Amino acid sequence: MALPETTQRTWQIWERPATPRPLQIQPRDIKIIEKIARYRFLQPQHICALLQGSNANLSRRLRHLWQHGYLQRPTAMRPNRILLEQIVYAIGAKGIRLLERIDPAFRTGSGDWNKQPGLPFIDHELAIANFFVVMKFACERSGVVLHWNGSMSHQQYRIPLPNNKTLI
């Protein structure tokens, strides 16, 4: 049985085109890349909640940023999870260089950005992202300012315990 022409083949989700369409980086693209860098991993629903706007337009921009190497899609998400969940985005090498060029004080942390993370780590980071996106809106609704600068600044939020141990 042949698939309809409109059905997207799953390998196209993971393979960047050899010659992607031209891309002009917009201020909103920079905000998208910065949010993904701060949270480590985000799904389109998180980005849409954080930046507002059309889900369709956002998905299109995410795809273009990924095709040009500003974002990456962790390979641990393929192929079994993609059928059940939204795509997960992480910052790509071009995205890191862009943010460092815009803000020399930008720090990507000590993580190896070229290393492909495993599924448990991605799930953990997405759970943190879920929590902080919800927390951000709860704080805004209550008039409270949330001072959380993202996953890369987790050292600031360690809680000292007796015997020189820390609790994150």
Side-chain angles (χ1 to χ4, degrees), residues 5-61:
E5 290 287 329
T6 57
T7 302
Q8 185 178 25
R9 295 171 288 181
T10 56
W11 65 83
Q12 289 179 337
I13 294 172
W14 304 105
E15 293 178 5
R16 287 187 173 103
T19 54
R21 292 180 180 176
L23 176 69
Q24 178 69 38
I25 295 292
Q26 303 294 323
R28 184 172 171 85
D29 296 332
I30 294 169
K31 289 179 183 177
I32 291 169
I33 294 167
E34 191 272 337
K35 290 292 182 199
I36 291 172
R38 294 282 174 224
Y39 285 83
R40 286 191 183 156
F41 300 99
L42 287 177
Q43 294 174 312
Q45 64 193 17
H46 297 128
I47 301 164
C48 195
L50 291 167
L51 298 178
Q52 307 300 310
S54 162
N55 207 359
N57 288 341
L58 179 67
S59 293
R60 191 175 313 110
R61 291 311 286 180

Side-chain angles (χ1 to χ4, degrees), residues 38 96-109:
R38 294 282 174 224
I96 292 171
R97 286 194 301 270
L98 175 70
L99 293 179
E100 287 173 340
R101 193 169 52 243
I102 291 170
D103 181 8
F106 177 77
R107 291 267 200 271
T108 57

Side-chain angles (χ1 to χ4, degrees), residues 114-152:
N114 292 320
K115 182 180 176 186
Q116 284 294 327
L119 205 49
F121 181 73
I122 294 171
D123 283 344
H124 172 77
E125 291 297 322
L126 285 175
I128 291 171
N130 280 331
F131 174 80
F132 277 106
V133 169
V134 170
M135 179 67 81
K136 176 186 180 293
F137 287 107
C139 288
E140 286 176 1
R141 185 175 291 155
S142 302
V144 175
V145 177
L146 176 64
H147 294 286
W148 186 71
N149 202 21
S151 292
M152 292 179 294

Side-chain angles (χ1 to χ4, degrees), residues 59-105:
S59 293
R60 191 175 313 110
R61 291 311 286 180
L62 288 168
R63 185 176 64 248
H64 291 306
L65 290 168
W66 170 76
Q67 289 173 344
H68 283 269
Y70 291 96
L71 302 178
Q72 51 178 302
R73 294 174 177 169
T75 56
M77 297 305 291
R78 64 167 108 153
N80 55 350
R81 298 287 291 264
I82 193 62
L83 300 174
L84 303 173
E85 299 177 6
Q86 288 188 350
I87 295 233
V88 174
Y89 288 95
I91 191 167
K94 278 187 174 179
I96 292 171
R97 286 194 301 270
L98 175 70
L99 293 179
E100 287 173 340
R101 193 169 52 243
I102 291 170
D103 181 8

